Structure formats: structure tokens, C-alpha cells
Amino acid sequence: MHRPGGTSLQAIRVCVRIEQATGHALSPVSFFEHDVLADLVDWLDSAQAAARG
């Protein structure tokens, strides 16, 4: 049975886990914009490097 909104709730859970593991907040919008894992990792690496200055 498919429940409406399930995908968004799962995305939020993944974003929370990523933040816990990396210390970098990730919005569900960014998660969906970078829906290929390698792209998401590259984006997170770039964001963390920018935050470090």
C-alpha cells in the first residue's frame, strides 16, 4: 500500500541521518535536487569545504 507523502517523510529521515553523520544540515529539497548518490556526496563535500573557508 502506497501512502501519500511517504517519500517526503523518508527523505526527511535520510536528511537527519546525514546531518548526524556529517554535521552538515541537508534539506529535503537539496536531497531531491541531488538524487544521484555521487552528486549528493560531491555537493556535501563542496558545502563542507565552503563552511571551513
Side-chain angles (χ1 to χ4, degrees), residues 15 18 23 41 53:
C15 291
I18 289 172
V41 170

Side-chain angles (χ1 to χ4, degrees), residues 8-20 26 31 40:
S8 296
L9 294 174
Q10 290 169 339
I12 292 169
R13 287 184 187 121
V14 170
C15 291
V16 168
R17 287 184 177 186
I18 289 172
E19 183 174 0
Q20 290 171 338
L26 175 68
F31 179 77
L40 179 63

Side-chain angles (χ1 to χ4, degrees), residues 22 24 38-52:
T22 67
H24 181 76
D39 294 341
L40 179 63
V41 170
D42 289 343
W43 181 80
L44 283 169
D45 285 345
S46 296
Q48 286 181 327
R52 287 189 295 258

